Amino acid sequence: MTKSRDEQVFELYEQLLEIEQRLIPTGLHVFGRPSSATERADLLKMIASFDRPESGVRALPEEFIDDAIRVFQEHGSDAAVAYLEERGFQAGSVFKLLETVSTKLETNNEMDALVRALRGEFIEPGPGADIVQNPDILPTGRNTHAINPYGVPSAVAFARGKIVAASLLDRYKEENGRYPEAMALVLWGLDNIKTQGEGVAQALWLLGVRPVRDALNRATNVEAIPLEELGRPRVDVVMTVSGIFRDLFSPTVHLLDKAVRLVAHLDEPLDQNYVRKHVVEQMAHADCDADEAAIRVFSNAPGNYGTNVNFMVMDSQWEREETLGDLFVTRKCFAYGRDSKGRTIEGREARIAMDRALSRVEATYQNIDTFEIGLTDVDHYFEYLGGVSKAVEKRAQARPSIYLSDSLSREVKIRSLEETVRLETRAKTLNPKWYEGMLKHGFRGVAEIENHVSNTFGWSATADAVDDWIYSEVANTFVFDESMLERLKELNPHSAHSLVRRLLEANGRGYWETDQSVLEKLQEIMRDLEDQLEGVAQ
Ligand code: BEZ
Ligand code: MG
């Protein structure tokens, strides 16, 4: 079906808006330093753009946010409330919140708290979360506490989880004409703290179960949502959880394992219950009993963390891509849960069970819940979501569809990995507002730019998800612009060198097709940088 010209123009317009409206951090936090007025204005606008039903606060209308925050900063909250009232909007409760937040942002006790902590004195506790989602994290410089794992998923998280899981399945169905039989999900500890378990809720919804609370209001059990109510098959879910999640959310690990085992035992048609279908198929293997066939929660061996896929990529210590997926499984094939006799399984190596579970996966997914850290900001997204996707590719003999959700925008949005990489690249790596913000931090800022390029490369290595134009534009922006290259060399020649080397590696490994003349120029610049670095070393 070809789209009309108007439809194409409208789609382009929507994409431009999406990039323009994307929230991005425009610099690094400096320990002990309160935020500047401009930084405060940006944060206040973000905070004011979300409804907060729990405290009766409504988001400010988008068209007035900029002016209302300016009036607030220049003349105080009464003036801002009056400004909005003239435009027919009651904003008393929003500005009460913004006033508190603004005051807390103007002070900074981090250094004092650090000194007191070093003296072994008491540090006041405070919640750890994303500032936009929970402004109560202020003031900073407190002893961050997490969450009661028995409260996870919260009622709000479960309600949101349903919307995300439904959008995710809709998107897959749109592209493939049917529901996926099995998905692999990445669950992180900090994310589930920040959202009170949105990732956990999504896993439960895909399986088609809801949490049940005991007499002490602890989420310790699950019940099946009837198929008629669910209106779709139950999806098999392979959960790869971080070491942090395993440590912080032990009761939740057991809840997830219990959910899989409950669903596996429901007397339902196999085409409506893919967990049961796969468990039955798996038990046909002589070496596999029912307990073994229903293992779906995997993490590191006890006491271990991470996949090491990021280190392998960063150090260029690999030849074949499948090694990256194999390393992921080697690190993550430890089972957690409880068997049918009620005995706990605490990190038993279960490589065959994981290989088999992954061999049925058709889509992989991770939730992104903060504007502060995205796909290319850290190497952890590609080590986890990229790692599991590469492991699936070999075991299922097909590349899975890879998705991310965006629960940081007002409405939930599911994007493919490729779409998310493009959006992050345009909103951050190639956005002058972002990189100039980074460059104000000098040496560290250049390192951040180089990290973004390397993390982008990580998505080529694990998922072949990076378009050629991305590498070309990185080269044009940071290497072939002479004055930019001079700035990078001056501030941090090591990172400038790594950036150029990474671009050459992208071409060498077949992820970036470009002209020979471009490569020759890059090689020449790399030699210059090497000479400069040798000069420094002597
Ligand atoms: C976690 O919160 O579980 C996590 C954080 C950083 C990297 C990997 C996992
Ligand atoms: Mg390509």
Side-chain angles (χ1 to χ4, degrees):
M1 216 169 41
T2 54
K3 290 183 183 132
S4 75
R5 182 178 160 280
D6 282 359
E7 278 172 329
Q8 289 179 20
V9 171
F10 188 69
E11 244 173 47
L12 184 61
Y13 171 72
E14 282 191 322
Q15 281 189 18
L16 286 175
L17 267 190
E18 185 175 46
I19 297 167
E20 187 191 351
Q21 291 172 353
R22 183 88 171 162
L23 301 176
I24 57 163
T26 50
L28 301 168
H29 175 67
V30 178
F31 188 81
R33 200 199 71 186
S35 7
S36 70
T38 329
E39 288 164 345
R40 281 203 304 280
D42 282 345
L43 283 174
L44 294 175
K45 284 177 204 170
M46 290 179 203
I47 290 170
S49 64
F50 281 82
D51 285 330
R52 296 175 198 282
E54 68 285 0
S55 40
V57 171
R58 261 175 61 207
L60 291 185
E62 232 165 88
E63 63 271 34
F64 302 137
I65 287 192
D66 283 0
D67 287 335
I69 298 295
R70 191 178 41 73
V71 173
F72 169 71
Q73 286 198 304
E74 285 171 11
H75 307 287
S77 69
D78 289 347
V81 172
Y83 168 86
L84 284 165
E85 207 155 78
E86 281 165 28
R87 284 150 187 85
F89 191 83
Q90 301 299 324
S93 56
V94 188
F95 281 98
K96 205 179 255 171
L97 170 69
L98 295 185
E99 200 163 79
T100 318
V101 170
S102 185
T103 311
K104 287 179 184 167
L105 283 169
E106 279 165 50
T107 54
N108 185 301
N109 305 323
E110 289 167 357
M111 197 60 83
D112 178 50
L114 175 65
V115 172
R116 281 190 289 122
L118 291 172
R119 279 199 219 109
E121 291 175 18
F122 175 74
I123 306 295
E124 189 195 335
D130 178 274
I131 183 169
V132 178
Q133 289 189 349
N134 182 5
D136 285 341
I137 64 157
L138 298 172
T140 55
R142 291 186 291 171
N143 189 0
T144 307
H145 64 72
I147 198 171
N148 169 10
Y150 288 106
V152 162
S154 70
V156 174
F158 195 64
R160 269 181 86 81
K162 175 183 185 170
I163 302 169
V164 177
S167 312
L168 187 57
L169 292 176
D170 283 350
R171 169 90 198 234
Y172 184 91
K173 200 170 168 209
E174 216 171 87
E175 290 175 339
N176 297 278
R178 60 174 178 79
Y179 290 113
E181 287 201 14
M183 294 189 58
L185 264 54
V186 173
L187 293 174
W188 283 356
L190 299 178
D191 294 36
N192 280 282
I193 290 173
K194 284 185 283 186
T195 60
Q196 313 227 341
E198 268 188 41
V200 172
Q202 291 156 10
L204 296 179
W205 271 108
L206 291 169
L207 291 163
V209 304
R210 59 169 66 93
V212 177
R213 290 174 198 277
D214 66 12
L216 298 173
N217 201 28
R218 301 180 313 168
T220 47
N221 217 337
V222 282
E223 67 182 13
I225 300 165
L227 282 172
E228 311 80 72
E229 190 183 329
L230 205 57
R232 58 160 171 89
R234 300 181 196 282
V235 178
D236 190 356
V237 183
V238 184
M239 289 157 275
T240 53
V241 317
S242 71
I244 299 181
F245 185 100
R246 170 204 60 201
D247 293 351
L248 295 176
F249 287 103
S250 177
T252 317
V253 163
H254 285 287
L255 190 76
L256 291 166
D257 173 70
K258 210 173 200 175
V260 174
R261 291 176 196 279
L262 171 86
V263 170
H265 285 97
L266 294 173
D267 186 10
E268 291 173 340
L270 298 186
D271 64 354
Q272 288 299 303
N273 183 332
Y274 295 133
V275 180
R276 184 177 169 80
K277 177 181 175 203
H278 298 156
V279 166
V280 169
E281 279 172 18
Q282 228 153 296
M283 280 168 62
H285 292 276
D287 58 354
C288 189
D289 64 15
D291 279 340
E292 191 76 12
I295 295 175
R296 292 292 183 276
V297 185
F298 298 93
S299 188
N300 296 85
N304 275 348
Y305 302 84
T307 73
N308 291 357
V309 170
N310 46 341
F311 301 129
M312 200 180 240
V313 170
M314 288 301 167
D315 297 343
S316 308
Q317 294 295 327
W318 55 284
E319 281 177 21
R320 282 148 36 121
E321 287 171 353
E322 65 174 52
T323 318
L324 302 171
D326 291 344
L327 177 61
F328 180 90
V329 173
T330 302
R331 295 283 299 171
K332 286 282 169 191
C333 67
F334 297 83
Y336 289 82
R338 190 164 271 136
D339 70 13
S340 53
K341 298 194 180 67
R343 293 175 299 209
T344 57
I345 309 169
E346 282 292 338
R348 170 153 55 78
E349 187 166 1
R351 198 182 174 101
I352 294 173
M354 189 175 196
D355 282 340
R356 286 186 186 145
L358 291 178
S359 75
R360 300 200 172 83
V361 166
E362 295 176 307
T364 59
Y365 164 75
Q366 184 165 3
N367 187 45
I368 292 196
D369 56 39
T370 169
F371 75 95
E372 285 186 305
I373 300 171
L375 273 196
T376 53
D377 291 298
V378 292
D379 53 6
H380 300 304
Y381 284 106
F382 81 74
E383 67 155 323
Y384 274 85
L385 185 63
V388 74
S389 300
K390 192 47 84 182
V392 167
E393 187 175 325
K394 176 172 159 185
R395 287 153 185 80
Q397 293 179 11
R399 182 184 185 275
S401 304
I402 311 175
Y403 299 111
L404 292 126
S405 65
D406 192 340
S407 53
L408 57 103
S409 357
R410 284 193 202 204
E411 72 254 53
V412 169
K413 185 134 194 187
I414 303 293
R415 293 192 186 86
S416 70
L417 171 61
E418 291 81 352
E419 289 164 353
T420 316
V421 170
R422 280 179 209 126
L423 178 59
E424 287 275 313
T425 303
R426 290 188 169 114
K428 289 183 186 157
T429 319
L430 295 175
N431 177 356
K433 191 169 176 194
W434 180 84
Y435 61 71
E436 288 299 342
M438 287 299 151
L439 287 172
K440 286 197 191 109
H441 296 275
F443 184 89
R444 184 65 227 159
V446 185
E448 283 296 319
I449 294 171
E450 189 275 321
N451 274 346
H452 274 249
V453 175
S454 284
N455 294 331
T456 304
F457 172 88
W459 289 113
S460 283
T462 55
D464 195 17
V466 185
D467 303 333
D468 288 311
W469 69 260
I470 291 182
Y471 292 113
S472 298
E473 284 306 309
V474 166
N476 290 337
T477 307
F478 299 109
V479 189
F480 297 144
D481 176 326
E482 273 177 39
S483 69
M484 176 58 82
L485 182 62
E486 275 314 306
R487 289 168 75 193
L488 301 187
K489 273 170 49 176
E490 176 78 26
L491 294 169
N492 183 342
H494 300 276
S495 293
H497 173 256
S498 307
L499 190 154
V500 176
R501 208 196 45 188
R502 196 66 78 188
L503 285 172
L504 286 166
E505 186 182 3
N507 169 265
R509 292 196 190 261
Y511 302 137
W512 177 34
E513 271 186 49
T514 185
D515 294 343
Q516 192 56 32
S517 62
V518 168
L519 297 172
E520 280 164 15
K521 261 202 297 189
L522 283 175
Q523 273 150 356
E524 193 188 315
I525 291 169
M526 188 160 88
R527 277 192 300 273
D528 282 352
L529 278 161
E530 273 161 14
D531 289 346
Q532 185 187 341
L533 287 171
E534 259 171 45
V536 172
Q538 273 162 12

